[in-house]
Amino acid sequence: MNAGRAAIALMLVVGLLGSWISGAAFYTRLLILSLLLGAGSWLWIRLAARALHFQRRAETARARVGDLLREQFEVYNAGRLPMLWLEVRTAPLSGSRLLTLVGGRQRRFYVARTWLTRRGSFPLGPTTLIVSDPLGLFRVRRQFPATRSLVVFPLIYPIAAFLSPAGFLPGGHVIRRKTMEITPHAAGLRDYLPGDPLKRIHWPTSVRRGRLMVKEFEQDPQAEVWLLLDAQQAVQAGRPLAGSETLIESQPFMRRPKLSLPPATLEYGIAVAASLAHFFIAQKRTVGLVVRDRTYTMLPAERGERQENKILETLAFLEGRGDLPISALLRAQAPRIPRGASVVLITPSTSGDLLLATAEAQLRHLQALVILLDAGTFGGEPGAASLARELLAQGVPVCLIPCEAEIGQVLSDFAASTLSQEIPTWHRPALSSSI
């Protein structure tokens, strides 16, 4: 019991006993005063809490690990009664504050900053406002549910260089396959359909024919890059994320926290896929993504910032609950990948079935490369080094990534060591790797 409640309770008890024993007017007035203070404080806080309005606005709904998120909070007291103090409690981001002397018809603004250190989706709320009457007798909580969510994309490591195939040129002509992208290879015209981008409309023909006509394009001869990420639950290793490790509250003059991945193969695989997608799209390559988590996800190979955002958003929500091995994923997708495309397999699996799958990919004229996460260093099953040697003997380049490795540096060094062998394509055996 706080001091205010203790004082009112003492006044009430003394007034009751005094009125019953002596009947003096002083005790009667004391009893009435205690009742009036209690009832007035209760009515005050109820009216004041009902007049509260709250808004929470974030700068963006999409961000990346390592970004600093700024949120603006607004508390508006629409009533006439002032509030001596008002507590704002937020979850899960930083933003909790204690506001004092919020007058009637007054607005209060403040800004909260949060370092984003983990990928995923975070609801911006709920937010709880706690108010009290001037005597501190009663407290009222008002909860405002989350109306928006923040999606945090995975951490992207800078890659100085990586294997970039030259493409597959059948007779020097374009690949006769329609694409939704705008490429230098126009294929013809067709009628406009709902959902077609306006920039694809061919206005001279549309005016001549009296109806909207759009241009069709064919794929260019550059090889596609397909990222196949292993999200099978049975092969993942490492510790799960704790809820307290989600985000870091930013204090004034606080330095940027050191970003590091949790020691889990899933998080390392996601970071590798995000970094490679960013690298290849920056090189004007068409990139596709295939992953089997709770559901099967296949993003067709496209280029541009929009494609990168789609890949990063897909990776942000992965949970590692898949039931399909990477070898089966490759066999299922290989018939749908054009000849000459590059297939990057990102997996912690040490199953020998991967050898058969990569051999089948080579027979289909796909350029396979394996990013092998050393599960033994994450507390999982050993055997990555021996599998890597077998893949190398088969002619498949392998990059081995252990726990606590600098992903960007390892990938760049792997590319430099492979390119130093002057191997023009990935079909020929790689003579060295990072293992």
Side-chain angles (χ1 to χ4, degrees):
M1 182 180 293
N2 57 30
R5 289 187 180 182
I8 295 298
L10 180 61
M11 291 172 58
L12 182 62
V13 171
V14 172
L16 283 173
L17 293 177
S19 300
W20 180 60
I21 294 175
S22 65
F26 170 77
Y27 295 107
T28 303
R29 295 191 183 99
L30 189 63
L31 175 62
I32 295 174
L33 178 61
S34 63
L35 293 175
L36 288 177
L37 288 176
S41 297
W42 183 86
L43 183 61
W44 179 301
I45 194 60
R46 292 293 173 180
L47 293 177
R50 188 177 301 175
L52 279 178
H53 298 274
F54 175 79
Q55 283 190 347
R56 179 178 184 174
R57 294 183 290 271
E59 281 187 337
T60 178
R62 300 289 187 272
R64 295 184 180 181
V65 171
D67 291 346
L68 183 63
L69 177 70
R70 295 179 72 256
E71 290 185 280
Q72 184 178 13
F73 293 81
E74 176 187 348
V75 178
Y76 175 49
N77 181 10
R80 297 182 179 274
L81 298 176
M83 301 179 189
L84 297 184
W85 66 270
L86 185 152
E87 184 180 359
V88 182
R89 293 183 182 177
T90 63
L93 306 182
S94 59
S96 298
R97 294 291 189 275
L98 181 63
L99 307 179
T100 58
L101 299 177
V102 181
R105 308 294 174 84
Q106 185 179 12
R107 298 178 187 270
R108 287 289 184 89
F109 299 90
Y110 67 91
V111 175
R113 298 174 177 84
T114 306
W115 287 111
L116 305 178
T117 59
R118 292 292 178 263
R119 67 174 179 89
S121 177
F122 302 91
L124 299 179
T127 303
T128 303
L129 302 185
I130 304 175
V131 294
S132 177
D133 61 277
L135 299 179
L137 301 181
F138 304 99
R139 290 188 178 185
V140 174
R141 297 171 179 260
R142 286 200 60 188
Q143 189 172 81
F144 296 83
T147 57
R148 296 181 61 191
S149 294
L150 172 70
V151 177
V152 182
F153 293 159
L155 179 62
I156 294 178
Y157 287 90
I159 302 175
F162 199 73
L163 301 182
S164 185
F168 191 75
L169 304 175
H173 299 288
V174 297
I175 300 174
R176 301 297 179 184
R177 191 171 67 177
K178 297 297 189 297
T179 177
M180 293 301 294
E181 295 185 42
I182 295 179
T183 70
H185 312 287
L189 298 172
R190 62 170 172 81
D191 288 331
Y192 174 86
L193 296 176
D196 286 334
L198 296 179
K199 61 183 178 181
R200 296 183 59 176
I201 297 177
H202 192 262
W203 292 107
T205 305
S206 300
V207 172
R208 187 168 59 252
R209 297 190 179 183
R211 63 181 189 275
L212 292 178
M213 303 292 295
V214 296
K215 293 174 285 188
E216 283 193 308
F217 299 89
E218 290 178 339
Q219 288 186 337
D220 60 27
Q222 276 195 330
E224 298 176 352
V225 178
W226 284 84
L227 304 176
L228 274 65
L229 177 60
D230 191 350
Q232 185 187 11
Q233 185 174 8
V235 300
Q236 304 299 329
R239 61 178 177 83
L241 289 177
S244 60
E245 295 179 319
T246 53
L247 302 162
I248 295 180
E249 181 177 356
S250 175
Q251 302 294 340
F253 310 108
M254 175 183 176
R255 293 183 178 180
R256 177 175 176 173
K258 183 180 179 180
L259 299 176
S260 60
L261 293 174
T265 55
L266 178 66
E267 298 300 324
Y268 273 65
I270 290 173
V272 169
S275 303
L276 289 178
H278 177 75
F279 173 81
F280 282 120
I281 289 177
Q283 300 294 321
K284 309 297 183 182
R285 292 284 184 178
T286 54
V287 182
L289 175 69
V290 180
V291 61
R292 165 70 182 186
D293 195 28
R294 292 183 183 272
T295 59
Y296 181 85
T297 302
M298 190 276 288
L299 299 179
E302 296 179 12
R303 59 164 57 89
E305 184 179 354
R306 180 171 176 268
Q307 175 71 353
E308 181 178 351
N309 288 335
K310 288 194 296 184
I311 292 175
L312 294 179
E313 186 168 358
T314 300
L315 296 175
F317 288 95
L318 291 185
E319 301 177 359
R321 304 287 185 179
D323 56 0
L324 195 65
I326 188 69
S327 55
L329 198 67
L330 177 58
R331 291 193 183 98
Q333 187 62 26
R336 302 177 179 88
I337 300 177
R339 297 177 62 191
S342 306
V343 180
V344 181
L345 307 176
I346 307 168
T347 177
S349 175
T350 57
S351 172
D353 195 36
L354 186 60
L355 296 168
L356 299 177
T358 53
E360 182 180 344
Q362 290 177 325
L363 291 176
R364 293 180 178 272
H365 299 281
L366 301 179
Q367 305 183 50
L369 181 148
V370 176
I371 307 294
L372 191 58
L373 305 173
D374 191 352
T377 61
F378 292 87
E381 293 291 333
S386 60
L387 177 61
R389 285 191 290 268
E390 294 179 25
L391 288 169
L392 285 172
Q394 184 178 289
V396 179
V398 182
C399 178
L400 191 63
I401 298 182
C403 184
E404 299 183 0
E406 179 62 34
I407 291 177
Q409 188 65 41
V410 171
L411 294 177
S412 300
D413 292 344
F414 163 72
S417 64
T418 304
L419 292 174
S420 64
Q421 305 299 323
E422 299 182 354
I423 301 174
T425 68
W426 295 359
H427 293 300
R428 294 179 57 182
L431 303 180
S432 66
S433 75
S434 58
I435 63 172

